[in-house]
Amino acid sequence: MKVKQFLTEYALLTLGTALVAMGTYFFKFPNHFSTGGVTGIAVILSSIFPSISSSLFASVINVAFLLLGFGVLNRGFGVRTVYCSLLFSGMLAGLEWLVPLSGPLTDEKLLELFFGVILPALGSAILFNTQGSTGGTDILAMILKKFTSLDIGMALLYVDVLIAGSTLILIDIETGLFSLLGLVLKSVLVDSVIESLNRKKSFILVTSCPEEVCDFITHTLHRSATFWKGEGAYSHQDKWVVLTALSRAQAVALRRHLKAIDPHAFMLITNSSEIFGKGFLRA
């Protein structure tokens, strides 16, 4: 791996972990929002044992899952997960030491819920995009996947619902309802942010100038394309069909260029967040 790529990836992993840690520490923990996962368990345990902070519980549980993963999976969950998991625990401990909180930052619970969901969702999406994870129940999922045939996604969702729902009894009804709402928002937001981060434009062009179009794509945009000969169903004239995938900025540039060289070209442009291949996602 090139040094620049390595540094970029770990900078993104650090940023993603920091967003998760800040959203959790500043907004989830003070309000006792339990939206599932390790932090949700930590919130519940802290409400049962108020002398121990949620941050400490989360760090201990995270490290415990990490050790369990090492014992069961050996190196099966990768360096990135170890890095992010330890960094997350360290950040929670550091924030608790640097910025001790005695209660919520504001009196607006709904506002704090949004920030408590949005920041970790954004961070989780960045981590997912760089094949990282803060550990916790993700490691549990890997263990279950290794030894069972369960639908891991659904199993973890049920566990998260159980954790969030338990706050209705163990903390109070209002906090429990906020926690369940936060769980729903988290589920929707993480997927939406991941799709937004990965969103590209796929083009199918019908043009009379394939050489000029492909030359612009390959030499100016530094992408590749595939083209083949076609025939207009109405005009029966020879046409060329060009297939390519570009970033949003590159898509704008290609549209402008195509308008200049072939105003009558036909363009079919679609959004896609799952394009696999060189220069895009890794399968």
Side-chain angles (χ1 to χ4, degrees):
M1 183 186 293
K2 295 179 180 178
V3 174
K4 184 178 179 181
Q5 183 184 352
F6 176 84
L7 293 175
T8 300
E9 285 189 359
Y10 273 82
L12 288 172
L13 290 171
T14 303
L15 173 62
T17 304
L19 288 172
V20 176
M22 287 190 291
T24 299
Y25 180 76
F26 287 113
F27 300 104
K28 280 187 181 179
F29 285 169
N31 291 283
H32 306 295
F33 295 145
S34 175
T35 56
V38 164
T39 56
I41 297 171
V43 166
I44 292 170
L45 289 175
S46 182
S47 69
I48 298 172
F49 305 101
S51 60
I52 304 175
S53 69
S54 298
S55 297
L56 182 57
F57 271 124
S59 298
V60 169
I61 296 169
N62 232 11
V63 171
F65 272 124
L66 204 56
L67 293 173
L68 180 64
F70 268 121
V72 176
L73 301 170
N74 296 320
R75 296 182 180 179
F77 50 87
V79 176
R80 288 181 175 86
T81 298
V82 175
Y83 172 75
C84 293
S85 182
L86 293 176
L87 181 63
F88 178 65
S89 299
M91 283 183 171
L92 287 180
L95 287 170
E96 188 173 34
W97 179 66
L98 291 170
V99 194
L101 296 176
S102 57
L105 297 176
T106 73
D107 295 326
E108 298 291 336
K109 266 202 165 185
L110 189 59
L111 178 65
E112 299 224 358
L113 176 67
F114 280 127
F115 277 93
V117 170
I118 290 170
L119 289 177
L122 181 58
S124 296
I126 292 171
L127 291 176
F128 181 86
N129 232 34
T130 46
Q131 298 181 327
S133 163
T134 53
T137 51
D138 289 342
I139 296 175
L140 179 61
M142 294 176 195
I143 295 171
L144 289 173
K145 186 176 181 180
K146 181 176 180 179
F147 294 106
T148 72
S149 57
L150 287 173
D151 183 334
I152 305 303
M154 289 304 297
L156 289 178
L157 178 61
Y158 292 146
V159 171
D160 284 345
V161 171
L162 181 63
I163 293 169
S166 65
T167 56
L168 291 164
I169 301 169
L170 297 174
I171 300 179
D172 59 63
I173 292 177
E174 182 187 41
T175 303
L177 292 174
F178 272 117
S179 296
L180 289 169
L181 175 60
L183 176 59
V184 173
L185 291 174
K186 180 181 77 171
S187 303
V188 173
L189 274 174
V190 171
D191 288 342
S192 298
V193 174
I194 289 171
E195 284 193 9
S196 179
L197 289 173
N198 290 331
R199 187 167 296 147
K200 306 295 181 186
K201 300 286 186 178
S202 57
F203 275 75
I204 297 178
L205 312 173
V206 181
T207 178
S208 303
C209 313
E211 297 295 338
E212 291 92 331
V213 172
C214 290
D215 183 70
F216 181 77
I217 292 171
T218 55
H219 293 101
T220 303
L221 301 181
H222 304 291
R223 291 291 185 185
S224 188
T226 301
F227 67 97
W228 61 93
K229 196 171 185 179
E231 181 182 328
Y234 178 77
S235 65
H236 296 289
Q237 293 179 349
D238 288 343
K239 297 287 183 180
W240 291 88
V241 183
V242 181
L243 173 67
T244 189
L246 306 169
S247 69
R248 281 174 278 194
Q250 291 169 334
V252 173
L254 179 58
R255 285 175 59 185
R256 289 175 179 167
H257 182 73
L258 199 61
K259 186 177 180 181
I261 64 168
D262 188 2
H264 301 293
F266 176 82
M267 286 183 281
L268 178 63
I269 308 170
T270 55
N271 288 322
S272 178
S273 58
E274 295 188 28
I275 299 176
F276 296 91
K278 187 175 181 180
F280 295 96
L281 295 175
R282 287 173 284 187

